[in-house]
């Protein structure tokens, strides 16, 4: 079922969903199942699975030269989605990214997803490789999320890369895109970032999932701005509790978000790691309650492979 259908069928009742990271190459899918098992009692209608581009490792040869080798550390997104749907009978939402894939590889992945009966995708540009200062498109791949979105919408209309394909079947993906209540870090200002978001919705994006945030007023202002500008698709807040003091530094650095003064001071006053977790969870519980009251259609959690904090929060909200 499509995300938009899940939201419509809920009749205004907020839904619960979460995002998973594929396990590192060589590790068992059991870590995925353990995370899901811990959260299934809250009846998530869909679960996201992230996609990761290749990175580089360096292998030193006996003669001393270094060889740069492309290496994808977290493969398996499509297979994990299929396993989730088979084992739990829950819709899986794979992320699609530009980096690391040619257009041909992207199209073939979409065909696989279509054949598996996966109805939803979240279209993203993706992050830069760790070895690169800035995002570098894959040769023969898409450079922007709008390009990738157009590719999906083309296939929904029966248009494939090779125009000589006859009697092509239309896919029917429900397509999500990312939204940034505090703007994307590469955008020169919020207005420019917002215009790109509006363009994606005009191109046919069906729903928006936001970057994490810790100040609900920013989500509310973002939603209100969207509605005022004719963006009427569901806007799903992305959420993650702070669980360690070092995240006061790492989260703003990695995700380019602000931590409210009240929250940062409360964490700074903690004497133990356990106190930090309690403060972070309580803050997120209050955020969630306010978001439900505001009318957020779904509370979507970034679990980062650790379901325990999400479970503690959801127990108090749903």
């Amino acid at each position: 079922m499509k995300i938009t259908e899940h939201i419509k069928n809920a009749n205004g009742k907020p839904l619960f969903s979460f995002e998973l990271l594929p396990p590192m190459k060589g590790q068992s899918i059991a870590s995925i199942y353990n995370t899901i098992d811990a959260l299934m009692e809250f009846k998530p209608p869909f679960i996201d699975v992230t996609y990761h581009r290749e990175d580089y490792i360096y292998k030193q040869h006996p003669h001393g030269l270094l060889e740069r080798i492309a290496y994808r550390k977290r493969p398996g997104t499509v297979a994990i989605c299929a396993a989730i749907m088979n084992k739990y009978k829950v819709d899986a939402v794979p992320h699609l990214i530009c980096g690391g894939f040619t257009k041909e590889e992207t199209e073939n992945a979409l065909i696989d997803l279509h054949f598996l009966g996966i109805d939803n995708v979240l279209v993203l540009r993706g992050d830069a490789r760790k070895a690169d200062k800035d995002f570098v498109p894959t040769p023969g791949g898409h450079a922007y999320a709008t390009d990738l979105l157009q590719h999906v919408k083309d296939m929904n209309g029966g248009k494939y890369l090779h125009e000589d394909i006859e009697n092509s079947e239309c896919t029917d993906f429900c397509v999500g895109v990312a939204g940034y209540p505090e703007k994307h870090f590469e955008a020169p200002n919020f207005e420019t970032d917002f215009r790109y978001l509006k363009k994606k919705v005009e191109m046919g994006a069906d729903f928006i999932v936001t970057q994490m945030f810790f100040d609900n007023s920013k989500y509310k202002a973002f939603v209100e701005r969207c509605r005022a500008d004719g963006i009427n698709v569901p806007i799903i807040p992305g959420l993650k509790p702070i669980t360690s003091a070092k995240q006061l530094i790492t989260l703003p650095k990695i995700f380019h978000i602000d931590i409210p003064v009240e929250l940062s001071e409360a964490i700074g006053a903690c004497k133990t790691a356990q106190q930090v977790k309690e403060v972070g969870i309580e803050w997120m519980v209050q955020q969630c309650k306010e978001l439900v009251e505001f009318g957020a259609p779904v509370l979507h959690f970034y679990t980062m492979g650790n379901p325990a904090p999400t479970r503690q929060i959801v127990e108090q909200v749903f």
Side-chain angles (χ1 to χ4, degrees), residues 285-297:
V285 167
Q286 294 306 313
Q287 266 197 265
C288 289
K289 290 180 178 179
E290 290 178 8
L291 290 168
V292 168
E293 185 176 348
F294 181 67

Side-chain angles (χ1 to χ4, degrees), residues 4-188:
T4 49
E5 292 172 333
H6 281 298
I7 292 171
K8 181 179 179 180
N9 292 343
N11 294 316
K13 181 180 178 181
L15 301 172
F16 160 71
S17 68
F18 57 94
E19 178 184 287
L20 297 169
L21 296 172
M24 298 287 282
K25 181 177 284 190
Q27 294 183 355
S28 169
I29 197 173
S31 62
I32 294 291
Y33 294 154
N34 291 339
T35 297
I36 297 174
D37 288 343
L39 299 171
M40 273 305 292
E41 71 176 87
F42 304 108
K43 297 180 172 57
F46 60 89
I47 298 170
D48 278 29
V49 184
T50 62
Y51 228 132
H52 298 260
R53 74 175 300 175
E54 85 289 356
D55 222 316
Y56 291 119
I57 59 174
Y58 291 87
K59 180 180 179 180
Q60 186 167 14
H61 293 277
H63 48 63
L65 292 178
L66 290 176
E67 179 185 7
R68 190 172 77 162
I69 301 171
Y71 178 71
R72 195 179 301 276
K73 294 181 179 179
R74 293 184 183 272
T77 295
V78 173
I80 290 168
C81 287
I84 288 172
M85 294 179 67
N86 179 62
K87 183 177 176 66
Y88 296 97
K89 313 305 178 189
V90 169
D91 282 313
V93 184
H95 292 192
L96 287 180
I97 59 175
C98 297
F101 302 90
T102 65
K103 295 175 185 177
E104 184 78 17
E105 289 169 334
T106 294
E107 185 158 284
N108 290 339
L110 285 163
I111 291 170
D112 286 344
L113 296 172
H114 177 57
F115 288 169
L116 286 167
I118 292 173
D119 297 324
N120 307 280
V121 292
L122 184 64
V123 166
L124 309 163
R125 188 198 68 178
D127 298 325
R129 289 174 296 222
K130 291 182 179 179
D132 297 330
K133 182 180 179 181
D134 300 306
F135 177 83
V136 178
T138 295
H142 294 297
Y144 301 101
T146 48
D147 300 329
L148 182 52
L149 171 62
Q150 187 62 57
H151 194 159
V152 181
K153 300 306 289 189
D154 282 347
M155 291 180 66
N156 278 357
K159 180 181 177 181
Y160 289 70
L161 288 173
H162 303 290
E163 296 181 356
D164 59 345
I165 296 176
E166 297 180 356
N167 302 317
S168 57
E169 182 179 22
C170 296
T171 57
D172 189 27
F173 292 110
C174 179
V175 187
V177 295
Y180 297 85
E182 300 177 61
K183 91 169 182 64
H184 190 278
F185 74 98
E186 292 180 358

Side-chain angles (χ1 to χ4, degrees), residues 218-236:
K218 294 184 178 180
Y219 170 78
K220 294 176 182 178
F222 179 69
V223 172
E224 289 167 356
R225 173 63 191 277
C226 285
R227 301 307 184 227
D229 273 69
I231 297 176
N232 295 311
V233 300
I235 301 175
I236 299 171

Side-chain angles (χ1 to χ4, degrees), residues 185-225:
F185 74 98
E186 292 180 358
N189 51 67
F190 181 84
E191 292 302 319
T192 300
D193 192 38
F194 187 83
R195 284 200 295 271
Y196 282 116
L197 176 65
K198 186 172 182 180
K199 179 181 178 180
K200 286 187 276 191
V201 174
E202 289 171 346
M203 290 174 63
D206 298 292
F207 65 96
I208 297 167
V209 181
T210 77
Q211 176 63 278
M212 69 178 72
F213 57 91
F214 293 91
D215 183 347
N216 282 348
S217 67
K218 294 184 178 180
Y219 170 78
K220 294 176 182 178
F222 179 69
V223 172
E224 289 167 356
R225 173 63 191 277

